[in-house]
């Protein structure tokens, strides 16, 4: 039996992970499940899977969680420190699927066990990639990518020598506004941005797909995970989202990973690795699909991509500043304080102040400095947002 914990169990990735676990209950022993504030879902899953502990982030939900779990064997806990404590409980396989920078600390703690961390939380690599991968190596832990593009690259690289890799191409759906006239984008509403053409995901990542801040993070994630140079990483719009990534080798061969848009493929691959097991995902009928399309992303529609290039060039703590500024800009868009096309300028201007005023290059990356830069970038992004109003 494999012991498993799922951080962010109530979210889109978390629920897909639990779906796979519930299909084969004899194979898994659930240690910890965590959620943000959806206490009903968390308690129901923790009871159904007989978890050792259920942790809810929001302290206001703690009494309700205790109430829902009373009379069961599941322990209740609450708060971000309790989430990190839960990540220290011995466990063979941990899913990191909390959204945002809050996902870093529990993943970091889980790595100290020297087991396997399935990493859906892309912010961990974007904010702290170099120290996170070092930390994993020091503890003999395995990190498996769960983001569909990175799982695809990982799979295309099995049995290959990374030194023979010329380039990595990650595909992008182009998001909700890929076919909109450019001049309409500033007026895009929250509801319109929250509607993904291909994937069913959490609201934040869906909006990040429309702006391509998601792809921007994935470019950085690719650099950090696979250790390639930024100029080796490309992105291309592929509206069908069936090819998730391609790896180009020194001999000109391109190995593509093709699969349905169902995150249970990448999650299941990480759950079963190093073996492949039957997964409940659709088998593609290529004749019915007929054709696959590709086009280069336009810089004016997706300014986030250039910001990612600048962040990769700068390196170090710029990733933490970028993630925080992006999260803050996204909060402001969701709150209706700024327009859809204001998010990229808020992020770019925030990073400009961080480069010019704070000399980020000279600050050593540690978990503490990552947090400090995160906080500072959020404050700066709020200041810049105010100047837009
Ligand atoms: P989601 O919003 O559906 O779920 C996020 C989970 O984190 C929920 O359980 C929520 O309660 C919890 N959470 C939120 N804030 C928290 C906090 N401060 N402390 C503790 N828990 C908190 O998000 P998702 O779509 O499942 O994405 C999760 C992560 O996986 C993100 O980093 C996302 O970028 C990445 N990812 C998602 C997909 C996808 O298809 N959904 C694909 C690739 C990568
Ligand atoms: Mg992805």
């Amino acid at each position: 039996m494999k012991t498993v914990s799922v951080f962010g169990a109530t979210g889109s990735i978390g629920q897909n992970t639990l779906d796979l676990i519930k299909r084969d209950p004899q194979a898994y022993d659930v240690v910890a499940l965590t959620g943000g504030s959806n206490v009903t879902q968390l308690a129901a899953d923790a009871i159904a899977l007989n978890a050792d502990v259920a942790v809810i982030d929001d302290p206001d939900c703690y009494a309700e969680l205790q109430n829902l779990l009373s009379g069961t064997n599941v322990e209740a806990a609450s708060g971000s420190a309790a989430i990190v404590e839960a990540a220290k409980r011995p466990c063979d396989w941990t899913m990191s699927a909390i959204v945002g920078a809050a996902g870093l600390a529990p993943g970091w703690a889980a790595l100290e066990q020297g087991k396997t961390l399935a990493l859906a939380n892309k912010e961990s690599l974007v904010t702290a990639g170099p120290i996170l991968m070092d930390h994993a190596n020091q503890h003999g832990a395995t990190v498996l990518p769960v983001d569909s593009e990175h799982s695809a690259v990982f799979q295309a690289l099995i049995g290959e020598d990374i030194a023979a890799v010329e380039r990595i191409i990650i595909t992008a759906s182009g998001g909700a506004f890929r076919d909109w006239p450019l001049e309409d984008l500033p007026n895009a509403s929250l509801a319109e941005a929250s509607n993904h053409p291909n994937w069913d995901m959490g609201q934040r990542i869906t909006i990040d797909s429309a702006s391509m801040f998601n792809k921007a993070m994935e470019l950085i994630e690719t650099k950090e995970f696979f250790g390639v140079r930024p100029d080796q990483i490309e992105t291309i719009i592929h509206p069908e989202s069936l090819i998730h990534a391609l790896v180009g080798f020194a001999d000109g061969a391109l190995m593509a990973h093709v699969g349905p848009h169902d995150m249970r493929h990448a999650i299941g691959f990480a759950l079963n690795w190093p073996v492949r097991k039957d997964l409940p995902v659709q088998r593609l009928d290529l004749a019915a699909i007929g054709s696959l399309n590709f086009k280069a992303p336009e810089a004016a529609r997706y300014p986030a991509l250039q910001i990612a290039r600048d962040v990769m060039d700068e390196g170090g703590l710029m990733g933490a500043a970028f993630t925080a500024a992006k999260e803050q800009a996204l909060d402001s868009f969701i709150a209706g304080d700024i327009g859809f096309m204001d998010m990229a300028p808020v992020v770019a201007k925030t990073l400009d102040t961080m480069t010019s005023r704070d000399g980020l290059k000279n600050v050593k990356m540690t978990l503490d400095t990552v947090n400090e830069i995160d906080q500072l970038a959020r404050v700066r992004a709020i200041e810049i947002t105010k100047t837009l109003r």
Side-chain angles (χ1 to χ4, degrees):
M1 245 201 202
K2 198 177 205 170
T3 47
V4 297
S5 288
V6 180
F7 290 78
T10 58
S12 166
I13 293 285
Q15 288 290 301
N16 276 308
T17 308
L18 296 191
D19 174 77
L20 294 177
I21 291 171
K22 284 174 184 170
R23 284 166 192 267
D24 197 2
Q26 306 305 323
Y28 305 105
D29 181 3
V30 177
V31 179
L33 298 181
T34 81
S37 56
N38 187 347
V39 69
T40 324
Q41 183 72 54
L42 180 66
D45 285 328
I47 294 168
L49 290 161
N50 195 23
D52 296 344
V53 62
V55 193
I56 196 82
D57 181 55
D58 184 348
D60 291 343
C61 300
Y62 184 44
E64 197 184 344
L65 182 66
Q66 280 180 310
N67 190 23
L68 290 167
L69 294 178
S70 70
T72 74
N73 294 325
V74 188
E75 237 176 272
S78 144
S80 50
I83 291 179
V84 174
E85 281 311 307
K88 295 179 181 164
R89 293 193 181 214
C91 179
D92 300 319
W93 188 90
T94 300
M95 166 56 79
S96 165
I98 288 175
V99 64
L104 176 59
W108 183 273
L111 285 174
E112 285 164 7
Q113 300 190 29
K115 296 293 176 58
T116 300
L117 183 69
L119 193 59
N121 174 273
K122 56 190 76 186
E123 294 83 356
S124 294
L125 280 173
V126 179
T127 57
I131 56 171
L132 188 85
M133 297 309 272
D134 273 359
H135 190 64
N137 286 336
Q138 272 168 25
H139 292 277
T142 303
V143 185
L144 296 173
V146 173
D147 213 339
S148 54
E149 297 76 4
H150 306 77
S151 174
V153 173
F154 187 91
Q155 293 179 50
L157 282 171
I158 291 173
E160 303 285 356
D161 181 357
I162 189 83
V165 172
E166 215 167 53
R167 57 184 180 148
I168 293 177
I169 306 172
I170 58 172
T171 60
S173 68
F177 305 134
R178 63 186 176 209
D179 300 321
W180 275 39
L182 270 185
E183 59 273 21
D184 291 350
L185 289 183
N187 300 320
S189 72
L190 177 60
E192 287 162 334
S194 305
N195 188 11
H196 198 281
N198 300 345
W199 297 87
D200 180 14
M201 308 184 285
Q203 186 190 36
R204 297 182 74 85
I205 182 172
T206 300
I207 302 170
D208 281 349
S209 296
S211 63
M212 276 225 205
F213 267 113
N214 181 49
K215 210 50 54 181
M217 287 205 286
E218 291 181 357
L219 291 173
I220 304 171
E221 208 184 343
T222 305
K223 169 179 174 267
E224 300 300 344
F225 193 91
F226 298 103
V228 291
R229 297 186 314 272
D231 63 277
Q232 290 178 288
I233 313 168
E234 301 169 24
T235 186
I236 188 154
I237 295 190
H238 167 43
E240 293 84 6
S241 293
L242 294 174
I243 296 182
H244 304 302
L246 307 97
V247 179
F249 292 93
D251 59 357
L254 271 179
M255 300 292 281
H257 179 283
V258 190
H261 349 109
D262 186 333
M263 285 308 294
R264 291 177 306 175
H265 173 76
I267 297 167
F269 176 81
L271 185 60
N272 297 322
W273 184 86
V275 292
R276 286 192 188 267
K277 287 195 189 157
D278 186 14
L279 290 174
V281 300
Q282 185 203 346
R283 271 47 174 177
L284 294 181
D285 177 348
L286 294 177
I289 293 160
S291 59
L292 298 177
N293 293 279
F294 303 94
K295 73 176 183 190
E298 302 149 83
R301 188 179 298 272
Y302 303 114
L305 296 179
Q306 183 54 47
I307 300 178
R309 299 263 166 215
D310 297 342
V311 169
M312 287 193 284
D313 288 346
E314 193 87 4
L317 289 162
M318 209 40 126
F322 169 69
T323 306
K326 187 228 71 155
E327 286 189 11
Q328 187 57 54
L330 181 58
D331 285 343
S332 300
F333 173 66
I334 292 174
D337 292 341
I338 61 173
F340 180 75
M341 289 307 273
D342 293 329
M343 286 191 284
V346 166
V347 175
K349 285 179 185 168
T350 302
L351 298 186
D352 282 347
T353 74
M354 309 284 294
T355 323
S356 57
R357 280 199 253 161
D358 308 303
L360 280 197
K361 266 204 168 134
N362 305 321
V363 185
K364 186 169 182 276
M365 184 186 284
T366 64
L367 269 197
D368 286 341
T369 56
V370 165
N371 283 329
E372 281 161 27
I373 294 304
D374 175 290
Q375 296 305 315
L376 181 62
R378 283 171 204 267
V379 171
R380 293 278 167 80
I382 291 170
E383 285 168 14
I384 288 161
T385 300
K386 285 183 185 149
T387 67
L388 291 179
R389 271 183 235 155

